[in-house]
Amino acid sequence: HPYTIGLLNAVPRPELRDTFLRAIPGSVCDLLKPPAGCKFHPRCFKAQEICAQERPRLQAQADRHETACFFPGEV
């Protein structure tokens, strides 16, 4: 999932001590008033117009995981 990649890229790694962490722009959404569509679209680097309009369905992936994303294979 693109948002998960963003989270993993924001984790400090000791071997990269002299590099800057990649930040995820924006703020976490209000859980009492989440955005329409995909809840992650305001902060997702792969978000498109459909992400703001429709909620993606949960889909099985080949590796026995599931993802709710319109673009899971494009990362």
Side-chain angles (χ1 to χ4, degrees), residues 47-62:
Q48 303 291 318
E49 189 173 328
I50 191 171
C51 303
Q53 298 172 354
E54 296 181 32
R55 186 175 177 193
R57 293 175 151 191
L58 194 60
Q59 300 175 34
Q61 301 299 310

Side-chain angles (χ1 to χ4, degrees), residues 4-21:
T4 303
I5 297 227
L7 291 175
L8 292 173
N9 285 336
V11 174
R13 294 179 20 204
E15 69 272 14
L16 300 176
R17 186 178 315 226
D18 296 329
T19 62
F20 289 101
L21 292 177

Side-chain angles (χ1 to χ4, degrees), residues 18-42:
D18 296 329
T19 62
F20 289 101
L21 292 177
R22 293 184 186 180
I24 300 173
S27 298
V28 177
C29 73
D30 181 345
L31 296 178
L32 298 176
K33 298 176 190 170
C38 177
K39 306 305 180 237
F40 302 104
H41 86 267

